[in-house]
Amino acid sequence: MRRNFKIQATASAGLESLVARELRNLGYAESVKIDDRSRVFFEGEPADIAKANLWLRTADRVKIVVGEFTSKTFDELFNSVFNLDWPEFLPLGSSFPVAKAKSVKSQLHNEPTIQAITKKAIVKRLQQHYHRPESLPLMENGPEYSIEVLINKDEVTVLLDTTGESLFKRGYRTEHGGAPIKENLAAAIILLTTWPANPLRPFVDPTCGSGTFCIEAAMIAKNIAPGLNRTFSFEKWPWFMENANFEALKKEAKLNEKSDLKLDIQGYDIDGRMVEIARRNTVAAGLKNVIQYKQMRLQDFKSDLLDGVIISNPPYGERLGDEELVHKLYRDMGETFRPLDTWSKYIITADEAFETYFENRATKKRKLYNGALKSNVYQFFGKRLKK
Ligand code: SAH
């Protein structure tokens, strides 16, 4: 088996630099690159792919780049796909859906045809390699290898997804109630703050909903690998698992958890049902007693502590008629947080006028997508404490 793969770590728009930073911290500083289309790549063996899946908090998926080439005709596409190293990846019996085709500004643009041609080329290559008759379909009752073909300006990238369900699914969120933020976006916002550098500082999410920010913060502080409670596509691939050392990676992750670290993480929500859901998710994440929840209006939040961090994902009021209520809430937030002048506050909302109602100009803003919603993280840095 070839040792080193080119690997892509995908993420939602705006999070690429954080994914790259995570990969550097995981030990891939030498090979990490962000290309001119904001794609994040690194290099490694199956064990590195397993490690990235287990540890990346801000990415969506980890994919092996099976091949890259130029195609302007379907014949070219067929031949180039045929010539890739499929027998290395797909044992006889594998199921290999070409699950996704996407084409941007390219001569080949009919996505279903791109999918069909790719599939045909792989089938033919495997039939030849495994000496199967071309007249019979290949059996595909084995483990699944999900393949994608992406074409941009005639440049084709063929990918093999090693992850399966997106990495934002950590396995702890059994219920979410209202409008949860994705776990990987929540982690990204926390990693943008100064809190992880000193996680003994108080951490408060006053609109905690299902508890995503609190749970992700605790996992970051305690060095808990986000992938420990779920499975990945690669776990069904024999050639991969023989080389991935996955059990050892998980064991090592467990050993390195900072389970004794005492944290001060609080989550509040006006809705008692949300508080219950947050509690249940927290237990599912193995963080019982690590996070304190309370049913409370954010307007009632006060603290004598210094140098804390507030992260909030308040309602946006995208529904008609909610707007006024939401703007009132932003005003209340401004008032409630004003006395906490040594605290840093990070508020994610899609409301472009947030600062007007909050009555404070952000120290910094960062554009992000919350699902399909273009949003901003409004960052208000606390006054520095005199040492
Ligand atoms: N980040 C959360 C979702 C937050 S949605 C998650 O991942 O699940 C916004 C939350 O703000 C809702 O749960 C809503 O009940 C809460 N909320 C609305 N007004 C509030 C107020 N005045 N005080 C506290 N929480 C409030």
Side-chain angles (χ1 to χ4, degrees):
M1 193 186 59
R2 188 174 58 192
R3 284 276 146 238
N4 233 34
F5 297 112
K6 179 171 179 180
I7 306 157
Q8 185 183 1
T10 64
S12 68
L15 302 191
E16 299 90 352
S17 60
L18 283 167
V19 173
R21 196 219 280 176
E22 282 198 276
L23 283 167
R24 274 182 228 113
N25 292 339
L26 286 174
Y28 303 106
E30 300 253 310
S31 66
V32 175
K33 280 189 190 73
I34 304 188
D35 77 357
D36 51 4
R37 284 156 52 197
S38 296
R39 299 183 302 173
V40 183
F41 296 103
F42 68 109
E43 284 169 26
E45 308 174 3
D48 303 304
I49 294 169
K51 186 169 165 187
N53 273 295
L54 188 61
W55 279 101
L56 285 177
R57 298 181 197 278
T58 60
D60 279 328
R61 284 193 171 78
V62 179
K63 299 171 184 178
I64 295 174
V65 179
V66 182
E68 294 174 289
F69 47 84
T70 308
S71 297
K72 294 186 177 168
T73 67
F74 281 118
D75 278 346
E76 284 172 2
L77 178 69
F78 185 94
N79 288 328
S80 297
V81 172
F82 178 89
N83 283 322
L84 298 177
D85 230 338
W86 296 110
E88 183 190 22
F89 298 102
L90 306 176
L92 188 62
S94 306
S95 95
F96 50 101
V98 180
K100 189 169 147 191
K102 195 166 182 247
S103 169
V104 179
K105 293 183 195 144
S106 301
Q107 309 235 354
L108 298 178
H109 51 77
N110 185 301
E111 290 166 352
T113 312
I114 294 167
Q115 258 167 316
I117 296 286
T118 304
K119 179 80 190 190
K120 258 196 182 154
I122 306 171
V123 168
K124 183 155 184 195
R125 176 65 187 275
L126 294 181
Q127 282 169 330
Q128 276 188 9
H129 182 84
Y130 294 118
H131 309 291
R132 302 284 130 168
E134 280 191 26
S135 53
L136 288 177
L138 274 174
M139 288 287 272
E140 292 195 35
N141 47 8
E144 183 172 286
Y145 295 79
S146 183
I147 289 154
E148 292 174 18
V149 197
L150 309 177
I151 313 184
N152 186 289
K153 295 187 186 149
D154 305 320
E155 298 295 325
V156 184
T157 311
V158 181
L159 298 156
L160 168 61
D161 176 29
T162 71
T163 302
E165 274 204 304
S166 172
L167 292 175
F168 82 81
K169 298 209 170 155
R170 319 283 206 217
Y172 65 74
R173 192 149 70 186
T174 48
E175 296 170 78
H176 56 69
I181 195 157
K182 281 187 182 161
E183 290 83 336
N184 49 8
L185 179 58
I189 293 168
I190 297 163
L191 291 175
L192 283 176
T193 77
T194 54
W195 188 78
N198 181 3
L200 300 182
R201 298 156 67 195
F203 180 103
V204 172
D205 178 354
T207 57
C208 72
S210 58
T212 320
F213 280 113
C214 295
I215 295 170
E216 290 295 322
M219 288 173 68
I220 290 170
K222 288 181 169 277
N223 200 34
I224 298 173
L228 276 176
N229 267 323
R230 54 162 287 164
T231 59
F232 303 99
S233 287
F234 68 70
E235 291 180 57
K236 299 221 169 75
W237 303 348
W239 60 269
F240 188 103
M241 290 302 275
E242 278 159 27
N243 293 283
N245 232 352
F246 191 44
E247 286 313 311
L249 280 172
K250 290 202 280 191
K251 213 183 252 168
E252 192 191 341
K254 274 274 170 214
L255 278 174
N256 287 324
E257 284 182 6
K258 300 179 186 164
S259 18
D260 297 332
L261 192 71
K262 291 273 170 286
L263 300 167
D264 180 2
I265 302 179
Q266 316 275 337
Y268 312 122
D269 201 286
I270 196 170
D271 184 343
R273 286 168 310 175
M274 291 314 303
V275 174
E276 276 316 306
I277 289 173
R279 285 204 177 103
R280 282 202 284 275
N281 289 340
T282 301
V283 172
L287 294 166
K288 199 180 166 192
N289 300 328
V290 173
I291 303 167
Q292 283 79 47
Y293 292 103
K294 196 158 98 183
Q295 179 179 7
M296 189 175 90
R297 298 163 68 231
L298 75 86
Q299 289 87 340
D300 295 331
F301 177 64
K302 284 193 203 66
S303 178
D304 296 329
L305 300 174
L306 296 175
D307 207 21
V309 169
I310 291 175
I311 298 192
S312 167
N313 164 215
Y316 297 166
E318 59 273 51
R319 274 174 315 203
L320 220 65
D322 287 357
E323 224 181 29
E324 229 169 282
L325 278 174
V326 161
H327 291 159
K328 166 84 170 63
L329 178 68
Y330 295 171
R331 263 186 221 290
D332 290 350
M333 282 179 113
E335 244 168 67
T336 309
F337 298 166
R338 205 156 294 129
L340 304 164
D341 59 346
T342 63
W343 288 54
S344 292
K345 299 121 195 167
Y346 302 83
I347 292 128
I348 173 167
T349 172
D351 193 324
E352 296 275 341
F354 175 77
E355 288 162 295
T356 314
Y357 299 102
F358 192 72
E359 289 184 29
N360 196 351
R361 269 196 89 73
T363 327
K364 244 170 129 180
K365 282 200 277 186
R366 173 139 179 161
K367 274 201 194 74
L368 289 174
Y369 279 86
N370 184 2
L373 272 182
K374 205 168 125 198
S375 305
N376 271 297
V377 185
Y378 294 90
Q379 313 179 27
F380 304 87
F381 297 165
K383 257 197 336 219
R384 261 175 200 253
L385 294 178
K386 292 208 186 77
K387 290 266 152 70

